[in-house]
Amino acid sequence: MIQPAADIPLIAAIAVAFFLVVGSALALIGAIGFVRLPTFYERLHAPTLGTSWGIGGVMVASMIYFSVASSRLVIHEILIGIFVTLTTPITFMLLARAALHRDRAAGSHNVPAKRASEAEERPSA
Amino acid sequence: MSAVIIYTAVAIAQLMLVVAMALASIRMFRGPRAQDRIIGLDTLYINAMLLLVTFGIGTGRVIYFEAALVIGMLGFVATVALAKFLMRGEVIE
Amino acid sequence: MLPYPLLTISLTLMWLLLNGFTLGHLILGALVAVFASWAMASLRPDKPKLRKWHLLPKLFFIVLFDIIRSNIAVAWLILRGRSKNGRPGFLTIPLEIEDRTALAVLAVVLTSTPGSAWLEYDSYDRTILMHVLDVADEAAWIDTIKNRYEKLLMEIFA
């Protein structure tokens, strides 16, 4: 049974509040950087703030809150944490490679050129 | 006292996450290129997922967790499909 | 009998986390996990060779610590602007590891750390192309990757 928030101990409430605010502040800073940074490759770094400890902070807050409020161990939020930390790098790598491919195809000089060994298309690509 | 602390923190966190979502959608609309828009979408759904978890803390209901999990899984698949489309011009080859 | 013991155990744990711990769910989850690992075996992926799996927690804590550190650094950079000699840039780094799983782990670690992103791997001359947000000291980046991550990964997946 979940108790109302008034009944949980003060120290747990402070911990929940701390992790919640830190996590969402990191997500917000990531979004600010995402709007402010000038080029695509720099912008790629900003959302990882939100997907590493932004997610981590909010999930830890949720775990503490539900564990204390229902007085048993509730850690299923860790699944979201693991899932997101494993999947975000994959999407970002795919997007970065797509962006490189498009920039090279457009003949941009701001990206490193394809090396000679990569000239022919590899089957694994 | 604990209730005040938790509800204030939840309200602050929700405000910050909504602003983050708004910023992500600004980047999504402004572009300038397709890859920027896709990362904007990615940031948008991740922040929406975090917002749902804070709703869960605010109301004390576990059902929001499941919604967040579903958003996370579907968003991943969508972003991968879009990235693949950018790379090749088609999703299924 | 069990082709992927680690996969089976993690699937059972995931089932228990989602459904709550009871004896019935333990049995059901274990059954699902065993069938899923047989299905995985019929796909015949490359089997990763974990030589020293007891070093995995060490890698995990190193990565956790580094992610905290670079979170602070990148948040500072976004809020305050970059330092004088810092600039974003591409780095090409030669690697010695060849194991596919080790490369995948290194890619996930580098990309999920704010401030560095893995762009592509060239299997012909075994170099990676990275983009880093603040390349004040190029040698320091190469040193971190080679000595901090690559050595440990080579030990784990030797």
Side-chain angles (χ1 to χ4, degrees):
Chain A
M1 199 50 225
I2 290 170
Q3 306 168 2
D7 293 345
I8 82 168
L10 187 64
I11 184 87
I14 292 174
V16 170
F18 173 76
F19 280 113
L20 201 55
V21 171
V22 166
S24 33
L26 278 175
L28 177 61
I29 294 172
I32 292 173
F34 183 57
V35 170
R36 273 185 59 185
L37 292 173
T39 66
F40 171 76
Y41 297 101
E42 286 170 74
R43 283 198 282 273
L44 196 60
H45 300 292
T48 46
L49 278 181
T51 58
S52 56
W53 272 100
I55 296 250
V58 175
M59 295 307 153
V60 167
S62 175
M63 279 194 271
I64 297 174
Y65 177 75
F66 282 109
S67 297
V68 173
S70 60
S71 46
R72 66 190 173 86
L73 204 58
V74 181
I75 51 168
H76 57 204
E77 283 86 355
I78 212 166
L79 281 180
I80 294 187
I82 293 174
F83 188 76
V84 171
T85 33
L86 285 186
T87 55
T88 328
I90 298 173
T91 57
F92 281 17
M93 255 180 275
L94 272 174
L95 272 172
R97 291 193 55 195
L100 262 183
H101 180 73
R102 281 164 67 98
D103 280 347
R104 282 170 180 164
S108 163
H109 295 291
N110 298 326
V111 293
K114 230 175 200 183
R115 282 184 294 273
S117 59
E118 291 184 7
E120 53 264 51
E121 200 78 9
R122 274 194 233 105
S124 64
Chain B
M1 188 61 193
S2 328
V4 178
I5 293 176
I6 285 188
Y7 290 136
T8 319
V10 166
I12 295 172
Q14 283 173 350
L15 185 71
M16 290 198 280
L17 289 172
V18 167
V19 174
M21 282 171 76
L23 290 173
S25 16
I26 288 176
R27 181 51 83 189
M28 225 172 101
F29 285 122
R30 270 206 342 218
R33 302 193 64 194
Q35 51 263 43
D36 293 294
R37 297 181 208 270
I38 296 178
I39 291 211
L41 183 65
D42 195 82
T43 317
L44 185 70
Y45 86 74
I46 289 220
N47 286 327
M49 198 176 84
L50 291 182
L51 191 63
L52 273 180
V53 176
T54 58
F55 273 127
I57 297 178
T59 55
R61 303 173 92 170
V62 196
I63 191 79
Y64 287 103
F65 160 76
E66 273 139 45
L69 196 61
V70 170
I71 288 189
M73 291 193 168
L74 287 183
F76 165 63
V77 177
T79 320
V80 168
L82 285 171
K84 186 97 176 86
F85 182 76
L86 271 195
M87 192 93 163
R88 295 285 175 174
E90 49 193 326
V91 178
I92 300 165
E93 359 187 0
Chain C
M1 174 67 195
L2 273 184
Y4 296 98
L6 210 59
L7 177 75
T8 315
I9 292 169
S10 356
L11 277 177
T12 315
L13 275 179
M14 184 180 147
W15 186 277
L16 289 178
L17 279 176
L18 280 175
N19 292 308
F21 185 82
T22 55
L23 186 63
H25 273 307
L26 178 64
I27 295 169
L28 192 58
L31 274 178
V32 170
V34 166
F35 277 104
S37 66
W38 286 345
M40 182 80 178
S42 66
L43 291 175
R44 300 182 198 284
D46 284 349
K47 199 160 183 167
K49 298 183 291 285
L50 273 176
R51 284 288 149 74
K52 295 184 175 172
W53 57 271
H54 58 272
L55 284 174
L56 277 178
K58 188 184 168 196
L59 179 72
F60 178 76
F61 284 111
I62 286 182
V63 170
L64 208 64
F65 175 72
D66 283 358
I67 288 182
I68 293 177
R69 218 175 42 178
S70 57
N71 257 308
I72 296 170
V74 172
W76 195 250
L77 191 147
I78 288 172
L79 292 179
R80 284 293 168 92
R82 52 182 76 249
S83 57
K84 279 208 186 72
N85 50 359
R87 62 190 160 77
F90 293 92
L91 285 183
T92 309
I93 295 169
L95 283 187
E96 279 151 45
I97 38 177
E98 278 184 346
D99 187 85
R100 283 161 167 257
T101 323
L103 278 172
V105 173
L106 184 62
V108 168
V109 165
L110 286 181
T111 312
S112 61
T113 310
S116 60
W118 169 293
L119 295 185
E120 59 181 8
Y121 174 68
D122 189 336
S123 58
Y124 184 76
D125 48 10
R126 292 190 292 169
T127 55
I128 54 170
L129 181 65
M130 279 178 61
H131 187 269
V132 291
L133 193 52
D134 198 349
V135 58
D137 189 359
E138 201 166 313
W141 273 104
I142 295 177
D143 182 63
T144 311
I145 290 161
K146 299 222 49 116
N147 292 328
R148 205 172 162 88
Y149 302 132
E150 196 188 6
K151 265 191 190 151
L152 200 57
L153 280 171
M154 278 174 98
E155 262 186 77
I156 294 174
F157 295 96

